[in-house]
Amino acid sequence: MNPPTSIKTAPTGIAEKSGIRAKTRIAPHPGGYRIAIEPMSMVVRPRMLAVALVSTIITVILFLTSVGVSDFPLTPIDVARILLGGGTRVENVVVFDVALPRALVALLVGFGLGLAGSLTQLIAQNPLATPDMLGITAGASVAAVTAIAFSTTSWGAWLGDLGVPAAAMLGGVLTAVAMYVLAWPGRKANSGINPFRLVLIGVGMTWLLQALTQFLLSRADIRDVGRAQVWIVGSVANVGWSNVWPVVTGVCASIVVVIVLARQIGMLSLGPDLARGLGVRTGAVSTTLLLTAVLVSALSVSAAGPIAFVALLAPQIALRLAGTAVPTPLVSGVIGSALVLGGDLLCRTVLPGGLPVGIVTAAIGGPFLIYLMVVMSRKASV
């Protein structure tokens, strides 16, 4: 029997075991450190990790607080105890059947919109390129209004049979397909979609679809108009478990795509020309990321309506807090969750009852949009 193999650590950091040598090197990198464990390497940015950790803690606290705000008030500690299986029968009914679906929808929708906004901003290289501005949420609104207000008509009955969530998702996907076809560069497909062309077409489709939505509302019954208006503003009230599962699917799928394409996303942030020089298939990667953003944003809108400005605010807040060159998708998603959960808490505790969360995000997002426009104009004039 051979004696056990010993492990020797050389002063240079080389470990030998069974004849296999593994080198570990830590070297400075812009904004952090590069850790190389052959044959793999990764970049660790302490500031971004700190922002992600703090944002996650705040989001968890907001989530537990949101679950506890009901006719049967509970503290975050009580909510955590109940979620871990230590609740009474009454507490379980209040949390799992009433409060938890609303909090989960707010958490997931915020994450999905924040992540989708970061991807579209990355593809277009423009902080204003979000699902709100590119027509995706406007297309979902047209289909949802049709399903709500014209489900009894011959031409709108099939959307009514699908239900509002499915109709909204279908409208968002069809709008994104039309936008992508119009922005496709034709024979120059290998160069990817032109960001400026994509934004122009998206803004034009947004205004066109918003006008169509207003026309549909003007022709609908007044009782259906009220329901449609609440959905258009964006609200996480009156949701159930049936609204949770589609968003869970979209968010999980988008997280997997972002993790798998993390390296390509990092290179794509350097610009399409440099990314192609580094071997990235920019056309295929941009298409995959855009489809991912469309899927997760459409599913998010189908559950809670087009909650305004979350897809714009979350990536830009994440960018400024983490100090990165472009918004980080996963951190943007966590910031988006905190925005929607916090806005919903304000609507339920401070503001008059019944207000949808979209009013809070729009009140914050409007001034922030003006700030972004001023910053962009100053950069362009330098």
Side-chain angles (χ1 to χ4, degrees), residues 44-57:
V44 177
R45 295 181 174 86
R47 178 174 173 179
M48 187 176 69
L49 288 178
V51 169
L53 179 61
V54 173
S55 302
T56 302
I57 293 173

Side-chain angles (χ1 to χ4, degrees), residues 249-310:
T249 304
V251 168
C252 292
S254 63
I255 291 175
V256 171
V257 171
V258 167
I259 293 175
V260 171
L261 297 179
R263 180 172 175 272
Q264 288 85 343
I265 290 174
M267 292 183 180
L268 196 63
S269 65
L270 301 174
D273 295 333
L274 186 55
R276 280 194 297 272
L278 294 173
V280 177
R281 298 175 57 189
T282 55
V285 173
S286 297
T287 301
T288 303
L289 294 179
L290 181 60
L291 290 177
T292 301
V294 169
L295 174 66
V296 69
S297 61
L299 288 172
S300 299
V301 169
S302 71
I307 302 177
F309 289 110
V310 174

Side-chain angles (χ1 to χ4, degrees), residues 155-170:
W155 59 275
W158 67 280
L159 281 176
D161 293 338
L162 286 177
V164 176
M169 184 179 66
L170 179 62

Side-chain angles (χ1 to χ4, degrees), residues 137-337:
T137 56
S141 297
V142 171
V145 168
T146 304
I148 293 172
F150 297 94
S151 59
T152 58
T153 62
S154 58
W155 59 275
W158 67 280
L159 281 176
D161 293 338
L162 286 177
V164 176
M169 184 179 66
L170 179 62
V173 171
L174 291 178
T175 303
V177 170
M179 177 190 65
Y180 193 78
V181 170
L182 292 174
W184 186 252
R187 295 180 180 179
K188 298 180 180 179
N190 290 332
S191 62
I193 295 178
N194 183 281
F196 185 70
R197 180 184 177 92
L198 180 69
V199 172
L200 283 182
I201 292 174
V203 171
M205 293 187 68
T206 297
W207 287 106
L208 177 64
L209 293 169
Q210 286 181 351
L212 179 58
T213 301
Q214 295 303 317
F215 171 77
L216 291 174
L217 290 175
S218 68
R219 309 301 298 175
D221 184 87
I222 189 64
R223 290 167 295 185
D224 296 326
V225 170
R227 293 174 52 214
Q229 285 285 9
V230 172
W231 189 92
I232 289 174
V233 173
S235 175
V236 294
N238 302 318
V239 296
W241 285 106
S242 60
N243 302 100
V244 173
W245 303 120
V247 194
V248 170
T249 304
V251 168
C252 292
S254 63
I255 291 175
V256 171
V257 171
V258 167
I259 293 175
V260 171
L261 297 179
R263 180 172 175 272
Q264 288 85 343
I265 290 174
M267 292 183 180
L268 196 63
S269 65
L270 301 174
D273 295 333
L274 186 55
R276 280 194 297 272
L278 294 173
V280 177
R281 298 175 57 189
T282 55
V285 173
S286 297
T287 301
T288 303
L289 294 179
L290 181 60
L291 290 177
T292 301
V294 169
L295 174 66
V296 69
S297 61
L299 288 172
S300 299
V301 169
S302 71
I307 302 177
F309 289 110
V310 174
L312 172 70
L313 283 169
Q316 292 302 308
I317 293 174
L319 182 148
R320 284 159 174 77
L321 291 178
T324 54
V326 295
T328 305
L330 298 182
V331 178
S332 301
V334 176
I335 297 292
S337 296

Side-chain angles (χ1 to χ4, degrees), residues 61-63 65-66 69 340-350:
I61 294 173
L62 289 173
F63 174 77
T65 305
S66 178
V69 175
V340 177
L341 285 168
D344 187 45
L345 276 175
L346 283 177
C347 292
R348 298 164 67 185
T349 58
V350 178

